[in-house]
Amino acid sequence: MIPSRRSFLLGAAAMGSSVITPDVAEAARLLSAQDALAADWGLATRDIEGDISPHRLTRIHGRAPAGLEGALYRNGPAKFRRPGGSAEHWFDGDGLIRKFSVADGEATLAARFADTPKRRQEARLDAMVMPGFGTPADPRAEIGSNDDANAANTSMLKVGDDVWALWEAGSPMAMDAGTLETRGFVTLRDDLKGMPFLAHPRVEPDGRIWNLGMNGAQAIVWRLAADGTLENASVIPLPRAAYLHDFTATARHLVIVLQPWVQVRRTMPFSAGFDWQAGTGTQVLVLDKDNLDARRLFDLPDFGFFHLGDAWEEADGTIRFDVCAHADMRFAATGATEILNGVPLGGEPARLALAVLSPDGSARLERTNVVAEFPRSDPRRAGQARRFSLHTAGEAPDRPFATAIGLHDWSTGQAHQYDFGPDHVVEEMVVVPRPGQDAEGAAWLVGPTINLKTRTTELHVLDMARLSDGPLASWRSHTALPAGFHGIWAE
């Protein structure tokens, strides 16, 4: 089906459903709660008031390994509260793009907010007024399209000389890869302006980009060349209007996992439109990349999820992929609001599982007891057979942020881990292959933590083959940035 904006985009009327955001007194209460949590994980949702100028990080441990040269780009919300009204959900803060550069054995950090229409309007009003994932609209919000509410706050994609800051329900935001200056929203085709572009594109080893854009029980399938040129865009029907933050892909197939958290009403905030339909199971839709009409549907037990690992297909046609499985989606519905307000969650963290889709149409979920989120793997093996899943670890019911980084070996069942300790909030790390080495374990792991004791952000490099030994090198900033969501490594 050829997509049209009229048939696909969420209407401005739905975006404009009005419920007043917290008043000044409520904003003050939230800030007080934040101050009270300063000695613990409340730093992860602090406000940043402006851009962070490029500065050299202080090396506090070890040395950067020879051959590690490039930049880690990360994205995440970093402005939640203004005197005239505050965001009500962790996912709705303004996107701050972080650039950790490593060169000549040293590291630097710079950070800039995506200069979105949302941020400009809210700065003018000195109030967070735009609707979002869990924040209702304020009557003062001026909304003409999805991109007026686009926070550009979730993930990153390197395209040519730019990096794209990605959101869920609108266009990518192009930013200069060197300076992080905002260039503007990306329009992949004039008649598709403002169409949703998910925050988790799948990039093939040759650079081709696949992505989805969601609208209820239909999705747009994007296929882009490595330079960001649009190759194709098609709309496909889905068996259910499930919440979908991530999908995965093999070399030949797209794999779309449809959990039982289903949109049953059009309302704002977005999360209020979903119900958990226990007992209806999780559906997995598999599409042929060369023929999107060739589709298979598999059934798995109930589970909720945000993130999937890269899928792969074996010689007999069996498809496997890892998932960080939740018992339900309470965290999305209410937990991320509780985090922002400084309230302990009391829920169980996600655990690592392997989904297996057999050629005969059967499917199973092989669960582990490994606490895990933010799965990553070797980018050279995207869509191909692999052994390892990198993930964060150490979350607990009374602590919603990770303390550790873990590595699961699917070939042996062994789980490796390095725990930074209770004074650290561990963020997603990425796999950076060693130059000139092809083995899957021949790679570094690069990512930040928030040191709660020193109130600073740190950058760490670990050896993937010797994870339990801890960092090879660590650097420290002079400030603490709030926790980010997702990132990429670019040379």
Side-chain angles (χ1 to χ4, degrees):
M1 181 191 302
I2 299 174
S4 70
R5 295 178 70 250
R6 178 172 295 180
S7 66
F8 195 85
L9 282 176
L10 296 178
M15 293 291 287
S17 299
S18 298
V19 179
I20 297 175
T21 53
D23 59 15
V24 175
E26 176 66 4
R29 186 191 69 78
L30 293 175
L31 288 170
S32 296
Q34 188 75 2
D35 291 340
L37 285 167
D40 199 3
W41 46 260
L43 274 177
T45 58
R46 68 180 292 240
D47 283 325
I48 298 294
E49 298 305 325
D51 298 342
I52 305 297
S53 299
H55 62 280
R56 184 171 174 173
L57 302 183
T58 301
R59 182 159 49 87
I60 57 175
H61 171 76
R63 294 185 178 279
L68 181 63
E69 304 273 337
L72 173 66
Y73 295 91
R74 284 187 54 74
N75 196 354
K79 179 63 176 176
F80 307 95
R81 307 165 185 90
R82 294 184 184 272
S86 300
E88 297 186 21
H89 196 283
W90 186 28
F91 298 173
D92 293 335
D94 291 339
L96 181 74
I97 315 309
R98 298 90 156 155
K99 181 182 180 182
F100 297 89
S101 300
V102 179
D104 300 323
E106 300 299 336
T108 59
L109 169 62
R112 294 184 74 168
F113 280 99
D115 185 19
T116 62
K118 170 188 183 299
R119 181 168 170 79
R120 291 196 298 271
Q121 185 179 152
E122 292 175 335
R124 174 172 54 83
L125 296 172
D126 205 14
M128 307 294 275
V129 299
M130 287 296 177
F133 188 90
T135 301
D138 186 286
R140 293 168 287 179
E142 300 171 6
I143 306 171
S145 73
N146 282 13
D147 282 338
D148 288 331
N150 191 333
N153 70 358
T154 309
S155 189
M156 303 298 299
L157 180 66
K158 182 73 164 62
V159 181
D161 294 330
D162 291 341
V163 288
W164 291 1
L166 306 180
W167 189 50
E168 296 267 299
S171 306
M173 174 66 83
M175 306 182 74
D176 185 280
T179 67
L180 300 183
E181 179 183 3
T182 298
R183 297 191 186 277
F185 288 123
V186 176
T187 298
L188 293 170
R189 201 171 72 200
D190 287 345
D191 63 318
L192 300 178
K193 184 176 181 179
M195 294 279 272
F197 191 88
L198 280 185
H200 284 284
R202 293 290 165 175
V203 182
E204 296 181 345
D206 65 1
R208 172 173 278 169
I209 301 162
W210 293 86
N211 204 5
L212 301 179
M214 303 302 297
N215 181 35
Q218 60 178 340
I220 182 170
V221 178
W222 300 100
R223 191 184 77 208
L224 283 61
D227 64 359
T229 302
L230 179 64
E231 294 182 340
N232 191 48
S234 301
V235 168
I236 61 167
L238 300 173
R240 61 168 61 155
Y243 172 67
L244 195 146
H245 172 74
D246 194 5
F247 73 106
T248 188
T250 71
R252 298 191 304 124
H253 296 96
L254 304 179
V255 181
I256 302 173
V257 181
L258 303 168
Q259 61 185 313
W261 200 41
V262 179
Q263 188 176 35
V264 296
R265 64 191 73 87
R266 289 295 182 97
T267 187
M268 292 302 295
F270 181 67
S271 60
F274 288 79
D275 286 345
W276 181 259
Q277 298 182 346
T280 61
T282 295
Q283 298 175 310
V284 184
L285 179 63
V286 176
L287 305 177
D288 190 311
K289 287 181 175 179
D290 293 330
N291 177 12
L292 298 179
D293 291 327
R295 48 201 284 153
R296 291 175 288 161
L297 192 64
F298 297 82
D299 293 312
L300 288 170
D302 290 357
F303 65 84
F305 80 98
F306 289 103
H307 302 117
L308 307 170
D310 282 311
W312 71 92
E313 187 172 356
E314 297 174 350
D316 66 354
T318 300
I319 293 174
R320 299 176 186 269
F321 61 90
D322 44 332
V323 55
C324 296
H326 292 261
D328 54 36
M329 291 300 282
R330 177 182 176 275
F331 180 85
T334 61
T337 294
E338 293 169 356
I339 279 181
L340 196 59
N341 292 347
V343 179
L345 292 179
E348 285 297 320
R351 284 177 164 76
L352 192 64
L354 188 70
V356 182
L357 314 180
S358 300
D360 64 5
S362 63
R364 66 182 186 275
L365 191 66
E366 299 178 351
R367 298 180 183 268
T368 76
N369 288 321
V370 176
V371 172
E373 253 298 1
F374 300 111
R376 299 297 295 255
S377 57
D378 187 334
R380 299 169 301 180
R381 288 168 169 78
Q384 302 173 9
R386 59 181 172 84
R387 291 174 54 191
F388 299 115
S389 293
L390 176 69
H391 58 85
T392 59
E395 293 183 37
D398 60 349
R399 183 189 170 95
F401 295 102
T403 64
I405 191 76
L407 189 69
H408 194 82
D409 187 338
W410 293 108
S411 67
T412 65
Q414 291 184 314
H416 307 275
Q417 182 171 291
Y418 178 77
D419 197 323
F420 286 84
D423 290 330
H424 284 260
V425 169
V426 176
E427 301 184 43
E428 173 199 70
M429 294 194 177
V430 299
V431 178
V432 181
R434 294 175 182 267
Q437 299 186 40
D438 295 328
E440 187 177 355
W444 299 296
L445 311 177
V446 183
T449 69
I450 305 170
N451 188 322
L452 304 176
K453 182 178 291 186
T454 62
R455 300 177 63 82
T456 58
T457 287
E458 297 179 355
L459 179 69
H460 307 279
V461 179
L462 298 90
D463 186 337
M464 185 170 176
R466 300 173 63 90
L467 173 64
S468 59
D469 290 348
L472 298 171
S474 299
W475 297 267
R476 180 176 293 161
S477 175
H478 58 68
T479 190
L481 301 182
F485 289 148
H486 302 291
I488 56 169
W489 178 266
E491 297 179 349

